[in-house]
Amino acid sequence: MNSNIISDKMDRKTKNLFPILICTVSVLLILFGIRISILSILAFAVLSAAVIFARLENVFTIMFFLIPFANIFKMDFRGTSLFTYLQLFFVARIIIRDLRITSRFLIAWIILFILQLLGSRMSLSLLIKQAVIPLLVCGSAVLIGGMETKITISLSIGVVVSGLVASFPNLFPGLQLFLHRVIAYDLGGRFDRFTGLYSDPNYFSVVVLSTTLGILTLVNAKRIDNRWLLLCIPMLYFGVLTISKMFFFMLLVLYLIFIWQCFHTQKYRKAAMSFAVILFLMLGIVVGKIDIFNNFFQRISVVGDLSTGRIRIWKDYLAYFVTHPIHLIIGNGIGSEPLHGPAHNTLIDFLYYYGLIGTILFFRIIVRSVPRHQPITIMNGCVLLGMLFMSMSLSYLEAYDFGLLMSFGICYLLMGNHAGASVSSKIEDHLAQGEAYANQRDYSSI
């Protein structure tokens, strides 16, 4: 009996070493491939083989770890990310090997694909990216149940490592070409916002907040130990450096949700300590003793507009819909030029490009693909709801990580409210349970 237990644990550790090895090797190849392009090709070959042939839970782990590195995973800083093509292999693997697709789903997706094709202006890359999103989200929604711990830890480590790389760009020749300088304000001297390895600080901050909220949720649901909270420290530090107004607002909301979760799970001492930390930080910010937050207020005072012009842009799009009701219904097509620039609102993007018909069809496909589970609560719905809220100030429709981040939020809906679950000090124990749960899933709902 004991020998079987030891054997199972050894086998589990061996399985967990595989994604760690692949992630480590691929990131090193990607970083040095910035200067030597053949190494990027080698990284793509290794990752493609892993995505196609590896165990499903390992594939999810690898894909989520790589999200923060996608912007530098290119043959050229002006080119398309190889991560985009990797997602195609990922979707192909899901459809061919892991899912049973019903005729109802297939018909709905074909109708949506025709709408995308007609409005694509024959932009093949754009068409592929948009057509893959519902397939990726729906496939993940069915298969990802029970993997929330593994993908959250994986994405968190990816965010931390990518943030450290972006903090010391001179260590990797050529990396500066891939990094984008976004000015926060200029008062006799330029001050830039931190973007990580992303091209925009706001999109980087969404990943930071979503992953942090995921860790807090898993801790309160007793899925992981408190020591994993240490990952939140560098992530939140990088988030503060983005000087994103949305980040600071959502950071406050995040901690209020965490405190509520502590009360809900009867962790009153943790709630009191968290509340005290917030009061201490707010006091330090008010008296100007915490320099790292001063840049945020400096930016607000210089820019003067909390929405950074977004409200005016939204008004322009709404006025367009009023004067062009037919385009509100059928959309302008995914290949159309934006009205006067990006809408900075994902819902408006959907209405502008897809119209009401395409938008309803798009989300109906996704909603019907999510397996029926427990009612949405703050415990299991806060990650997805937080991401959807943040997407209302960003144009996420064409972002390369839109599908995977939606899948990340959906996996928490499938987690349910497990606040009463027993504490597991070893993350491998939970992963084994998640494996068994995923193997028992009924995939016929998609």
Side-chain angles (χ1 to χ4, degrees), residues 8 24 50 60 64 114 116 120 122 126 128 171 189 200 205 231-233 287 298 315 325 334 384 391 397 404 445:
D8 289 342
T24 302
F60 274 104
F64 278 91
I114 292 173
Q116 293 169 332
S120 66
M122 301 312 295
L126 178 61
I128 293 174
L171 294 178
D200 187 286
S205 68
L231 279 174
C232 297
I233 296 175
V287 300
Q298 187 70 55
K315 287 180 178 179
I334 60 175
L384 180 60
S391 70
L397 179 58
L404 284 172
S445 62

Side-chain angles (χ1 to χ4, degrees), residues 340-382:
H340 302 299
H344 295 287
N345 185 295
T346 304
L347 178 58
I348 292 178
D349 277 338
F350 268 104
L351 294 176
Y352 181 78
Y353 295 110
Y354 280 89
L356 283 170
I357 295 176
T359 300
I360 292 172
L361 180 60
F362 186 100
F363 284 101
R364 181 176 174 81
I365 292 174
I366 293 176
V367 171
R368 288 183 64 86
S369 299
V370 178
R372 301 295 181 264
H373 205 62
Q374 299 186 25
I376 298 177
T377 65
I378 291 183
M379 182 67 78
N380 67 5
C382 59

